[in-house]
Amino acid sequence: MRTSEIGQPLVGVHSLYKFLCTMYDACAVQRNLYRKCNIMHRDISDTNIMFAPDTDAYREHNWEGYAEVKFVNQVLAKDKSVNPAPQCLVIDLGNGADLEVERGLDALTERAGTPKFIARSVSSGELLDEDEFSSAKVKLPQIEGVLVDYHQFMHTAEYHAEVGDSPGSTTLPETALPEVEFAHRLFHDAESTFWVIAWTLARSIKAGSEQEKKPHIRFSQFCYIMSTHCPTPKADDPRKQFSRKDWKFCLHPDLAALAPMLATMFRYIRPEWAYRPDLDAEHVHEALMRLLLIEIVNIKNGIDIDIHIGGRDSPRN
């Protein structure tokens, strides 16, 4: 969608609920862009995802389109006929890839993206190790709990992650799959979206809360690694050292309840999914959206948190 409207930077809004809704809709935008236009963004960052303009013109402009992946306002309304009202604006397609344009493999192996948020294999320009980053025990978040009431409204038609097999099931025999080569794939944009979510939440604090006198060492390490990351051909990516248990230490205590969401997201984005071309291209986005939706519904049914995005003191201070 083209628009002359100007969005608001992520640091400009102080609602955890609105931030999570914005990240949900950012995933929906990427998926619809891929489905409808066969385009990958390739530079998802915290400046290229913005809060949507709060204007009637922007909302009415969105009514003109048709999205198979529904936006969060439609999902929460439990009504697919509700007009879309995206909470986000995804900008800057300068590094985007139009997959309908004939091109050689080299065009999709070029490193593109913002250093903090670039996907790990794109950063190094090669596939992650198949054994170290295996997907064998990783499963798509199940439709249970609050998702039972909302999942049917996430898409115009029921979504199936598996083309042949499903995430977490027995990997197909090597003879059944073609040889895999490195190239930018849609799930790399999903990984970049995860890094935006993690970076933003780790650096945020509840409005009015006191700064920590001595932040946890894992938060300091996270900030240092993210801030200094430099994409380098065939080099180890320091972000691979993070583990599921680290996220509760990366977040301010005010936002500790979101640690399980980040941990589960990280578990899903961690594998090298290029070795599973039998899976639907959007399955990593689907995983992120299911996990975001759980937290969105919980806040909708509970209490929002007034947060200061980027307001947590840097470990250097």
Side-chain angles (χ1 to χ4, degrees), residues 61 111 138 157 217 249 260 313:
H61 195 84
R111 234 176 5 263
V138 180
I217 185 63
F249 303 119
D313 283 350

Side-chain angles (χ1 to χ4, degrees), residues 4-312:
S4 59
E5 298 281 347
I6 299 175
Q8 187 174 10
L10 295 183
V11 295
V13 175
H14 301 280
S15 163
L16 176 61
Y17 178 78
K18 188 167 184 177
F19 171 73
L20 296 177
C21 287
T22 298
M23 293 300 105
Y24 184 98
D25 282 351
C27 289
V29 167
Q30 293 168 53
R31 295 176 74 175
N32 285 314
L33 189 65
Y34 181 81
R35 286 193 190 187
K36 296 173 66 176
C37 307
N38 216 10
I39 289 175
M40 293 188 298
H41 190 283
R42 297 209 305 167
D43 191 12
I44 296 297
S45 71
D46 62 350
T47 56
N48 287 341
I49 298 176
M50 307 182 77
F51 288 115
D54 187 19
T55 65
D56 290 337
Y58 178 73
R59 284 185 283 270
E60 291 173 6
H61 195 84
N62 281 286
W63 299 347
E64 300 171 5
Y66 175 78
E68 293 183 359
V69 181
K70 298 302 180 181
F71 294 98
V72 71
N73 75 296
Q74 298 170 296
V75 178
L76 294 177
K78 298 182 182 179
D79 186 349
K80 296 179 182 180
S81 66
V82 168
N83 286 323
Q87 294 291 306
C88 76
L89 193 63
V90 179
I91 64 172
D92 192 1
L93 276 167
N95 286 317
D98 185 344
L99 303 182
E100 294 184 356
V101 175
E102 187 174 348
R103 61 175 68 213
L105 182 63
D106 289 347
L108 290 177
T109 58
E110 296 172 352
R111 234 176 5 263
T114 303
K116 278 191 190 74
F117 310 111
I118 191 171
R120 291 156 299 152
S121 58
V122 178
S123 178
S124 64
E126 61 183 4
L127 297 173
L128 301 176
D129 182 80
E130 185 173 9
D131 294 324
E132 184 178 359
F133 297 95
S134 171
S135 63
K137 296 182 179 180
V138 180
K139 296 182 179 180
L140 194 68
Q142 299 299 299
I143 304 303
E144 57 189 14
V146 300
L147 290 181
V148 173
D149 293 331
Y150 292 92
H151 182 253
Q152 62 179 304
F153 301 100
M154 292 176 67
H155 307 271
T156 54
E158 185 177 358
Y159 175 76
H160 295 282
E162 57 279 352
V163 174
D165 217 358
S166 61
S169 60
T170 304
T171 304
L172 296 180
E174 291 185 6
T175 55
L177 296 174
E179 184 177 351
V180 179
E181 295 183 359
F182 168 74
H184 195 112
R185 294 172 169 85
L186 185 64
F187 64 76
H188 292 130
D189 285 354
E191 180 180 337
S192 293
T193 304
F194 165 76
W195 292 120
V196 170
I197 295 170
W199 175 250
T200 304
L201 291 177
R203 295 170 52 253
S204 296
I205 188 172
K206 185 177 179 180
S209 286
E210 293 184 1
Q211 298 288 344
E212 302 150 287
K213 294 181 179 179
K214 188 177 181 181
H216 197 280
I217 185 63
R218 293 306 279 166
F219 170 60
S220 300
Q221 292 171 338
F222 175 75
C223 288
Y224 177 79
I225 289 172
M226 293 289 287
S227 298
T228 61
H229 178 61
C230 180
T232 305
K234 301 187 181 301
D236 276 347
D237 192 316
R239 293 172 298 175
K240 76 176 186 178
Q241 69 180 267
F242 298 131
S243 67
R244 291 187 67 193
K245 63 183 180 181
D246 290 332
W247 298 105
K248 65 180 179 180
F249 303 119
C250 290
L251 295 175
H252 187 276
D254 291 339
L255 302 180
L258 294 172
M261 178 192 76
L262 288 181
T264 308
M265 284 181 173
F266 182 71
R267 177 174 172 78
Y268 202 86
I269 65 104
R270 186 180 183 278
E272 177 52 88
W273 289 110
Y275 297 116
R276 297 297 308 278
D278 52 307
L279 299 178
D280 178 70
E282 301 174 18
H283 72 95
V284 182
H285 281 94
E286 176 73 13
L288 296 185
M289 292 173 75
R290 291 184 184 184
L291 295 168
L292 284 165
L293 185 58
I294 292 171
E295 300 303 326
I296 289 168
V297 172
N298 286 340
I299 294 176
K300 180 175 180 287
N301 295 334
I303 300 175
D304 192 9
I305 297 178
D306 184 16
I307 61 172
H308 184 186
I309 293 178
R312 190 180 184 188

